[in-house]
Amino acid sequence: MSSLAADQAARVNSTWVLRYGDVSEAYIKHLITTLPSTCLYNREGALLGYALTYHYGCLGVLYVLEEHRGNGYGKVAMSQLALKHLQKKKEVFVMIQRVNTASIKMHEAIGFEVIPDTSFDWIFCDD
């Protein structure tokens, strides 16, 4: 396990659901080079999964390669990223869409608690 490297930004961007071409890749590269992240590899050095910290402090961009899902790697990545923040006395939080019940269950299993009756909407302006 280690942190992500800047040269992995294109790979991370390619799997990010909020990607937006070169703009989001530059953003991902900025996150990787300035904020805590975790990256999991197998014994042969092949990538298994990763997680990043958004610029506003939220943990996210969690991704585990499809063929490695169900093995607990998401829990490991998020636990290690949360630990990095806790060691720096930083608040640890995630924002998960309510329909993503698998992610909610995974985060609850590693100690996160759902704050009931909260919702957020992302509002974008293209102009």
Side-chain angles (χ1 to χ4, degrees), residues 45-107:
L47 179 69
L48 300 174
Y50 48 81
L52 298 172
T53 305
Y54 286 102
H55 67 279
Y56 49 88
C58 183
L59 310 187
V61 196
L62 174 63
Y63 186 79
V64 175
L65 277 71
E66 187 122 8
E67 62 269 24
H68 298 292
R69 293 182 185 167
N71 295 310
Y73 297 131
K75 289 179 183 178
V76 172
M78 288 304 282
S79 295
Q80 289 302 307
L81 186 54
L83 182 60
K84 288 181 181 184
H85 284 266
L86 291 170
Q87 288 172 336
K88 293 182 176 186
K89 308 289 187 221
K90 302 276 185 181
E91 187 173 52
V92 177
F93 65 102
V94 296
M95 290 191 276
I96 304 168
Q97 293 177 328
R98 287 185 181 160
V99 296
N100 194 345
T101 55
S103 184
I104 292 169
K105 286 179 184 178
M106 184 210 74
H107 284 86

